Coordinates of all heavy atoms in Angstrom, one line a residue:
T123 N -3.8 3.3 7.9 CA -4.1 2.2 7.0 C -2.8 1.8 6.3 O -2.2 2.6 5.7 CB -5.2 2.5 6.1 OG1 -6.4 2.9 6.8 CG2 -5.5 1.3 5.1
L124 N -2.5 0.5 6.3 CA -1.4 -0.1 5.5 C -1.9 -0.5 4.2 O -3.0 -1.2 4.1 CB -0.8 -1.3 6.3 CG 0.2 -2.1 5.5 CD1 1.5 -1.3 5.4 CD2 0.4 -3.5 6.0
C125 N -1.2 -0.2 3.1 CA -1.5 -0.6 1.8 C -0.3 -1.4 1.3 O 0.7 -0.8 1.1 CB -1.8 0.6 0.9 SG -3.0 1.7 1.5
D126 N -0.5 -2.7 1.1 CA 0.6 -3.6 0.7 C 0.3 -3.9 -0.8 O -0.4 -4.8 -1.1 CB 0.6 -4.8 1.6 CG 1.8 -5.7 1.3 OD1 2.5 -5.5 0.4 OD2 2.0 -6.7 2.1
I127 N 0.9 -3.1 -1.7 CA 0.6 -3.2 -3.1 C 1.4 -4.3 -3.8 O 2.6 -4.3 -3.7 CB 0.9 -1.9 -3.9 CG1 0.2 -0.7 -3.1 CG2 0.5 -1.9 -5.3 CD1 -1.3 -0.6 -3.1
G128 N 0.7 -5.2 -4.4 CA 1.3 -6.4 -5.0 C 2.3 -6.1 -6.2 O 2.1 -5.0 -6.8
P129 N 3.2 -6.9 -6.5 CA 4.1 -6.7 -7.6 C 3.4 -6.7 -8.9 O 2.5 -7.5 -9.2 CB 5.0 -8.0 -7.6 CG 4.8 -8.7 -6.3 CD 3.4 -8.2 -5.8
G130 N 3.6 -5.7 -9.7 CA 3.0 -5.6 -11.0 C 1.6 -5.0 -11.0 O 0.9 -5.0 -12.0
V131 N 1.1 -4.5 -9.8 CA -0.2 -4.0 -9.7 C -0.2 -2.5 -9.9 O 0.4 -1.7 -9.1 CB -0.8 -4.3 -8.3 CG1 -2.2 -3.6 -8.2 CG2 -1.0 -5.8 -8.1
P132 N -0.7 -2.0 -11.0 CA -0.7 -0.5 -11.3 C -1.5 0.2 -10.3 O -2.6 -0.2 -9.9 CB -1.4 -0.4 -12.7 CG -1.2 -1.8 -13.3 CD -1.3 -2.7 -12.2
H133 N -1.0 1.3 -9.8 CA -1.7 2.1 -8.8 C -1.3 3.6 -8.9 O -0.2 3.9 -9.5 CB -1.3 1.6 -7.4 CG 0.1 1.5 -7.0 ND1 1.0 0.6 -7.6 CD2 0.9 2.3 -6.3 CE1 2.2 0.8 -7.1 NE2 2.2 1.8 -6.3
M134 N -2.1 4.5 -8.4 CA -1.8 5.9 -8.4 C -2.5 6.5 -7.1 O -3.5 6.0 -6.6 CB -2.2 6.6 -9.7 CG -3.7 6.5 -10.0 SD -3.9 7.3 -11.7 CE -5.4 6.4 -12.2
W135 N -1.9 7.6 -6.7 CA -2.4 8.3 -5.5 C -2.8 9.7 -5.8 O -2.2 10.3 -6.7 CB -1.2 8.4 -4.5 CG -0.8 7.0 -4.0 CD1 0.3 6.3 -4.6 CD2 -1.3 6.2 -2.9 NE1 0.4 5.1 -3.9 CE2 -0.5 5.0 -2.9 CE3 -2.3 6.4 -2.0 CZ2 -0.8 4.1 -2.0 CZ3 -2.5 5.4 -1.1 CH2 -1.8 4.3 -1.1
R136 N -3.6 10.3 -4.9 CA -4.0 11.7 -5.1 C -4.4 12.3 -3.7 O -5.1 11.7 -2.9 CB -5.2 11.8 -6.0 CG -5.6 13.3 -6.2 CD -6.6 13.5 -7.2 NE -6.8 14.9 -7.4 CZ -7.5 15.4 -8.3 NH1 -8.0 14.7 -9.2 NH2 -7.7 16.7 -8.4
G137 N -3.9 13.5 -3.5 CA -4.2 14.2 -2.3 C -5.6 14.8 -2.4 O -6.2 14.9 -3.4
L138 N -6.1 15.3 -1.2 CA -7.5 15.9 -1.1 C -7.4 17.2 -0.4 O -6.5 17.5 0.4 CB -8.4 15.0 -0.3 CG -8.7 13.6 -0.9 CD1 -9.3 12.7 0.1 CD2 -9.6 13.8 -2.1
P139 N -8.3 18.1 -0.7 CA -8.3 19.4 0.0 C -8.7 19.3 1.4 O -9.5 18.5 1.8 CB -9.3 20.3 -0.8 CG -10.2 19.3 -1.5 CD -9.4 18.0 -1.7
A140 N -8.1 20.2 2.3 CA -8.4 20.2 3.7 C -9.9 20.5 3.8 O -10.5 21.3 3.1 CB -7.6 21.3 4.4
G141 N -10.6 19.9 4.8 CA -12.0 20.2 5.1 C -13.0 19.3 4.3 O -14.1 19.3 4.6
M142 N -12.5 18.6 3.3 CA -13.4 17.8 2.5 C -14.0 16.7 3.3 O -13.4 16.0 4.1 CB -12.7 17.1 1.3 CG -13.6 16.2 0.5 SD -12.8 15.5 -0.9 CE -13.0 16.8 -2.1
L143 N -15.3 16.5 3.2 CA -16.1 15.5 3.9 C -15.7 14.1 3.3 O -15.8 14.0 2.1 CB -17.6 15.7 3.8 CG -18.4 14.7 4.6 CD1 -18.1 14.8 6.1 CD2 -19.9 15.0 4.4
L144 N -15.3 13.2 4.1 CA -14.9 11.8 3.7 C -16.1 10.9 3.9 O -17.0 11.1 4.7 CB -13.7 11.4 4.4 CG -12.5 12.3 4.2 CD1 -11.3 11.9 5.2 CD2 -12.0 12.3 2.8
P145 N -16.1 9.7 3.2 CA -17.2 8.8 3.2 C -17.5 8.2 4.6 O -18.5 7.7 4.9 CB -16.9 7.7 2.2 CG -15.5 8.0 1.8 CD -15.1 9.3 2.2
D146 N -16.5 8.2 5.5 CA -16.7 7.7 6.9 C -17.3 8.8 7.8 O -17.5 8.5 9.0 CB -15.4 7.2 7.5 CG -14.4 8.3 7.8 OD1 -14.5 9.4 7.2 OD2 -13.5 8.0 8.7
G147 N -17.6 10.0 7.3 CA -18.2 11.0 8.1 C -17.2 12.0 8.7 O -17.5 13.0 9.2
S148 N -15.9 11.7 8.5 CA -14.8 12.6 9.1 C -14.5 13.7 8.0 O -14.9 13.6 6.9 CB -13.6 11.8 9.5 OG -13.0 11.3 8.3
R149 N -13.7 14.7 8.4 CA -13.3 15.7 7.5 C -11.8 15.6 7.3 O -11.0 15.3 8.2 CB -13.6 17.1 8.1 CG -15.0 17.4 8.2 CD -15.4 18.6 7.3 NE -16.8 18.8 7.3 CZ -17.6 18.9 6.3 NH1 -17.0 18.9 5.1 NH2 -18.8 19.1 6.4
H150 N -11.4 15.8 6.1 CA -9.9 15.7 5.7 C -9.2 16.8 6.4 O -9.6 18.0 6.4 CB -9.8 15.8 4.2 CG -8.4 15.5 3.8 ND1 -7.3 16.3 4.0 CD2 -7.9 14.5 3.0 CE1 -6.2 15.8 3.5 NE2 -6.5 14.7 2.9
S151 N -8.1 16.5 7.1 CA -7.4 17.4 7.9 C -6.3 18.2 7.2 O -5.8 19.2 7.8 CB -6.8 16.7 9.2 OG -5.8 15.8 8.7
G152 N -6.0 17.9 6.0 CA -5.0 18.6 5.2 C -3.9 17.8 4.7 O -4.2 16.8 4.1
E153 N -2.7 18.2 5.0 CA -1.5 17.4 4.4 C -1.5 16.0 4.8 O -1.6 15.7 6.0 CB -0.2 18.1 4.9 CG 1.0 17.4 4.3 CD 2.3 18.1 4.8 OE1 2.6 17.9 6.0 OE2 3.0 18.7 4.0
S154 N -1.4 15.1 3.9 CA -1.3 13.7 4.1 C 0.1 13.2 4.2 O 1.0 13.7 3.5 CB -2.0 12.9 3.0 OG -3.4 13.2 2.9
I155 N 0.4 12.3 5.1 CA 1.7 11.7 5.2 C 1.7 10.2 4.9 O 0.9 9.5 5.5 CB 2.3 12.0 6.6 CG1 2.5 13.5 6.9 CG2 3.7 11.3 6.8 CD1 3.0 13.9 8.2
M156 N 2.5 9.8 4.0 CA 2.6 8.5 3.5 C 4.0 7.9 3.9 O 5.0 8.5 3.5 CB 2.4 8.4 2.0 CG 2.8 7.2 1.3 SD 3.0 7.4 -0.5 CE 1.3 7.5 -1.0
V157 N 4.0 6.8 4.6 CA 5.3 6.2 4.9 C 5.4 5.0 3.9 O 4.5 4.2 3.8 CB 5.3 5.6 6.4 CG1 6.6 4.9 6.7 CG2 5.0 6.8 7.4
F158 N 6.6 5.0 3.2 CA 6.7 3.9 2.2 C 7.9 3.0 2.6 O 8.8 3.4 3.2 CB 6.9 4.5 0.8 CG 8.2 5.3 0.6 CD1 9.4 4.7 0.3 CD2 8.2 6.7 0.8 CE1 10.5 5.4 0.1 CE2 9.3 7.4 0.6 CZ 10.5 6.8 0.3
F159 N 7.8 1.8 2.1 CA 8.8 0.7 2.3 C 8.8 -0.2 1.1 O 7.8 -0.8 0.8 CB 8.5 0.0 3.6 CG 9.4 -1.3 3.8 CD1 10.7 -1.2 3.9 CD2 8.8 -2.5 3.8 CE1 11.5 -2.3 4.0 CE2 9.6 -3.6 4.0 CZ 10.9 -3.5 4.1
Y160 N 10.0 -0.4 0.6 CA 10.2 -1.4 -0.5 C 11.2 -2.4 0.1 O 12.2 -2.0 0.7 CB 10.8 -0.8 -1.7 CG 10.0 0.4 -2.3 CD1 10.4 1.7 -2.1 CD2 9.0 0.1 -3.2 CE1 9.7 2.7 -2.7 CE2 8.2 1.1 -3.7 CZ 8.6 2.4 -3.5 OH 7.9 3.5 -4.0
E161 N 11.0 -3.6 -0.1 CA 11.9 -4.7 0.5 C 13.3 -4.6 -0.2 O 14.2 -5.2 0.4 CB 11.3 -6.0 0.3 CG 10.0 -6.2 1.2 CD 9.5 -7.6 1.1 OE1 9.8 -8.4 0.2 OE2 8.7 -7.9 2.0
E162 N 13.4 -4.0 -1.3 CA 14.7 -3.9 -2.0 C 14.7 -2.6 -2.7 O 13.7 -1.9 -2.9 CB 14.9 -5.0 -3.0 CG 13.9 -5.1 -4.1 CD 14.1 -6.3 -5.0 OE1 15.0 -6.2 -5.8 OE2 13.3 -7.2 -5.0
E163 N 15.9 -2.2 -3.1 CA 16.0 -0.9 -3.9 C 15.2 -1.0 -5.2 O 15.1 -2.1 -5.8 CB 17.4 -0.7 -4.3 CG 18.3 -0.3 -3.1 CD 18.1 1.0 -2.5 OE1 17.8 2.0 -3.3 OE2 18.2 1.2 -1.3
V164 N 14.5 0.0 -5.6 CA 13.7 0.0 -6.8 C 14.3 1.1 -7.8 O 14.9 2.0 -7.3 CB 12.2 0.3 -6.5 CG1 11.6 -0.8 -5.7 CG2 12.0 1.6 -5.9
R165 N 14.0 0.8 -9.0 CA 14.5 1.7 -10.1 C 13.7 3.1 -10.1 O 14.2 4.0 -10.6 CB 14.3 1.1 -11.4 CG 15.5 0.9 -12.1 CD 15.5 0.1 -13.4 NE 14.4 0.2 -14.3 CZ 14.3 -0.4 -15.4 NH1 15.3 -1.2 -15.8 NH2 13.2 -0.3 -16.2
G166 N 12.5 3.1 -9.5 CA 11.7 4.3 -9.5 C 10.3 3.9 -9.9 O 9.8 2.9 -9.7
F167 N 9.6 4.9 -10.5 CA 8.3 4.8 -10.9 C 8.2 4.5 -12.4 O 8.6 5.3 -13.2 CB 7.5 6.1 -10.7 CG 7.4 6.4 -9.2 CD1 8.5 7.1 -8.6 CD2 6.3 6.1 -8.5 CE1 8.4 7.4 -7.2 CE2 6.2 6.4 -7.1 CZ 7.3 7.1 -6.5
E168 N 7.7 3.3 -12.8 CA 7.5 2.9 -14.1 C 6.0 3.2 -14.5 O 5.1 2.6 -14.1 CB 7.8 1.4 -14.3 CG 9.1 0.9 -13.8 CD 10.3 1.5 -14.5 OE1 10.2 1.8 -15.7 OE2 11.3 1.8 -13.8
R169 N 5.8 4.3 -15.3 CA 4.5 4.8 -15.6 C 3.8 3.9 -16.6 O 4.4 3.5 -17.6 CB 4.6 6.2 -16.1 CG 5.1 7.2 -15.1 CD 5.2 8.6 -15.7 NE 5.6 9.5 -14.7 CZ 5.6 10.8 -14.8 NH1 5.2 11.3 -16.0 NH2 6.0 11.6 -13.9
V170 N 2.5 3.6 -16.3 CA 1.7 2.7 -17.2 C 0.3 3.3 -17.4 O -0.2 4.0 -16.5 CB 1.6 1.3 -16.7 CG1 3.0 0.6 -16.7 CG2 1.0 1.2 -15.3
K171 N -0.3 3.1 -18.5 CA -1.6 3.5 -18.8 C -2.7 2.5 -18.3 O -3.7 2.9 -17.8 CB -1.9 3.8 -20.3 CG -1.2 5.0 -20.8 CD -1.5 5.2 -22.2 CE -0.9 6.5 -22.8 NZ -1.2 6.7 -24.2
S172 N -2.4 1.3 -18.4 CA -3.4 0.2 -18.1 C -3.6 0.0 -16.6 O -2.6 -0.1 -15.9 CB -3.0 -1.1 -18.8 OG -3.8 -2.1 -18.4
P173 N -4.8 -0.2 -16.2 CA -5.0 -0.6 -14.8 C -4.8 -2.0 -14.5 O -4.8 -2.5 -13.3 CB -6.5 -0.1 -14.5 CG -7.1 -0.3 -15.9 CD -6.1 0.0 -16.9
E174 N -4.7 -2.9 -15.5 CA -4.7 -4.3 -15.4 C -3.3 -4.7 -14.7 O -2.3 -4.2 -15.0 CB -4.8 -5.0 -16.7 CG -6.1 -4.7 -17.4 CD -7.4 -5.1 -16.6 OE1 -7.4 -6.2 -16.1 OE2 -8.3 -4.3 -16.6
V175 N -3.4 -5.7 -13.9 CA -2.2 -6.3 -13.3 C -1.3 -6.8 -14.4 O -1.8 -7.4 -15.3 CB -2.5 -7.5 -12.3 CG1 -1.3 -8.1 -11.8 CG2 -3.4 -6.9 -11.1
I176 N 0.0 -6.5 -14.3 CA 0.9 -6.8 -15.4 C 1.6 -8.1 -14.9 O 2.4 -8.1 -14.0 CB 2.0 -5.7 -15.6 CG1 1.2 -4.4 -15.9 CG2 2.9 -6.1 -16.7 CD1 2.1 -3.2 -15.8
P177 N 1.4 -9.2 -15.6 CA 1.9 -10.5 -15.2 C 3.4 -10.7 -15.4 O 4.0 -11.5 -14.7 CB 1.1 -11.5 -16.0 CG 0.6 -10.8 -17.2 CD 0.5 -9.3 -16.8
S178 N 4.0 -10.0 -16.3 CA 5.4 -10.2 -16.7 C 6.0 -8.9 -17.1 O 5.4 -8.0 -17.8 CB 5.4 -11.2 -17.9 OG 6.7 -11.1 -18.5
V179 N 7.3 -8.7 -16.6 CA 8.0 -7.5 -17.0 C 8.2 -7.3 -18.5 O 8.2 -6.2 -19.0 CB 9.4 -7.5 -16.3 CG1 10.3 -6.3 -16.8 CG2 9.3 -7.4 -14.8
S180 N 8.2 -8.4 -19.2 CA 8.3 -8.4 -20.7 C 7.1 -7.6 -21.3 O 7.3 -7.1 -22.4 CB 8.5 -9.8 -21.3 OG 7.3 -10.5 -21.0
E181 N 6.0 -7.5 -20.6 CA 4.8 -6.8 -21.2 C 4.8 -5.3 -20.9 O 4.0 -4.6 -21.3 CB 3.6 -7.5 -20.7 CG 3.4 -8.9 -21.1 CD 2.2 -9.6 -20.5 OE1 1.1 -8.9 -20.4 OE2 2.3 -10.8 -20.2
L182 N 5.8 -4.9 -20.0 CA 5.8 -3.5 -19.5 C 5.9 -2.5 -20.7 O 5.2 -1.5 -20.7 CB 6.9 -3.3 -18.5 CG 6.9 -2.0 -17.8 CD1 5.6 -1.7 -17.1 CD2 8.1 -1.9 -16.8
D183 N 6.8 -2.7 -21.6 CA 7.0 -1.7 -22.6 C 5.8 -1.3 -23.4 O 5.6 -0.2 -23.8 CB 8.1 -2.1 -23.6 CG 9.5 -1.9 -23.0 OD1 9.6 -1.1 -22.0 OD2 10.5 -2.6 -23.4
Q184 N 4.9 -2.3 -23.7 CA 3.7 -2.0 -24.5 C 2.7 -1.3 -23.7 O 1.7 -0.8 -24.3 CB 3.2 -3.3 -25.1 CG 2.8 -4.4 -24.1 CD 2.5 -5.7 -24.8 OE1 2.3 -5.8 -26.0 NE2 2.4 -6.7 -24.0
L185 N 2.8 -1.2 -22.4 CA 1.8 -0.6 -21.5 C 2.2 0.7 -20.9 O 1.5 1.4 -20.2 CB 1.5 -1.6 -20.3 CG 0.9 -2.9 -20.7 CD1 0.8 -3.9 -19.5 CD2 -0.4 -2.8 -21.4
R186 N 3.5 1.2 -21.3 CA 4.0 2.4 -20.8 C 3.1 3.6 -21.2 O 2.6 3.6 -22.3 CB 5.4 2.6 -21.2 CG 6.4 1.7 -20.5 CD 7.8 2.1 -20.8 NE 8.7 1.1 -20.3 CZ 9.1 1.0 -19.0 NH1 8.7 1.8 -18.1 NH2 10.0 0.0 -18.7
G187 N 3.1 4.6 -20.4 CA 2.4 5.9 -20.7 C 2.0 6.6 -19.5 O 2.1 6.1 -18.4
D188 N 1.5 7.8 -19.6 CA 1.1 8.6 -18.5 C -0.4 8.6 -18.3 O -1.1 8.9 -19.3 CB 1.6 10.1 -18.7 CG 3.1 10.2 -18.5 OD1 3.7 9.3 -17.9 OD2 3.7 11.2 -19.0
L189 N -0.8 8.4 -17.1 CA -2.3 8.5 -16.8 C -2.3 9.1 -15.4 O -1.9 8.4 -14.4 CB -3.0 7.2 -16.9 CG -4.5 7.2 -16.5 CD1 -5.2 8.1 -17.6 CD2 -5.1 5.9 -16.4
A190 N -2.8 10.3 -15.2 CA -3.0 10.9 -13.9 C -4.3 10.5 -13.3 O -5.2 10.1 -14.0 CB -2.9 12.4 -14.1
F191 N -4.4 10.7 -12.0 CA -5.6 10.4 -11.3 C -6.6 11.4 -11.8 O -6.4 12.6 -11.8 CB -5.4 10.6 -9.8 CG -6.3 9.8 -8.9 CD1 -5.8 8.8 -8.2 CD2 -7.7 10.0 -8.8 CE1 -6.6 8.0 -7.4 CE2 -8.5 9.3 -8.0 CZ -8.0 8.2 -7.3
P192 N -7.8 11.0 -12.2 CA -8.8 11.9 -12.8 C -9.3 12.9 -11.7 O -9.3 12.6 -10.5 CB -9.9 11.0 -13.3 CG -9.8 9.8 -12.5 CD -8.3 9.6 -12.2
D193 N -9.7 14.1 -12.1 CA -10.4 15.0 -11.2 C -11.6 14.3 -10.6 O -12.3 13.6 -11.3 CB -10.8 16.3 -11.9 CG -9.6 17.1 -12.3 OD1 -8.5 17.0 -11.6 OD2 -9.7 17.9 -13.2
V194 N -11.8 14.6 -9.3 CA -13.0 14.0 -8.6 C -13.7 15.2 -7.9 O -13.0 16.1 -7.4 CB -12.7 12.9 -7.7 CG1 -12.3 11.6 -8.4 CG2 -11.6 13.3 -6.7
T195 N -15.0 15.1 -7.8 CA -15.8 16.1 -7.1 C -16.0 15.6 -5.7 O -15.8 14.4 -5.4 CB -17.2 16.3 -7.7 OG1 -17.9 15.0 -7.6 CG2 -17.1 16.6 -9.2

Side-chain angles (χ1 to χ4, degrees):
T123 299
L124 172 74
C125 304
D126 188 351
I127 309 294
V131 176
H133 57 286
M134 59 184 157
W135 298 93
R136 181 170 184 171
L138 295 167
M142 178 179 273
L143 183 62
L144 301 173
D146 71 336
S148 67
R149 293 241 176 231
H150 189 291
S151 62
E153 182 181 68
S154 299
I155 296 178
M156 163 195 286
V157 179
F158 64 86
F159 169 62
Y160 304 99
E161 291 184 346
E162 61 181 289
E163 293 287 324
V164 295
R165 241 172 38 176
F167 295 83
E168 307 295 327
R169 294 177 176 192
V170 295
K171 286 184 180 179
S172 172
E174 302 299 318
V175 175
I176 305 169
S178 165
V179 172
S180 64
E181 297 177 38
L182 186 58
D183 282 339
Q184 62 190 346
L185 300 172
R186 288 188 190 279
D188 287 340
L189 181 67
F191 210 111
D193 289 335
V194 290
T195 66

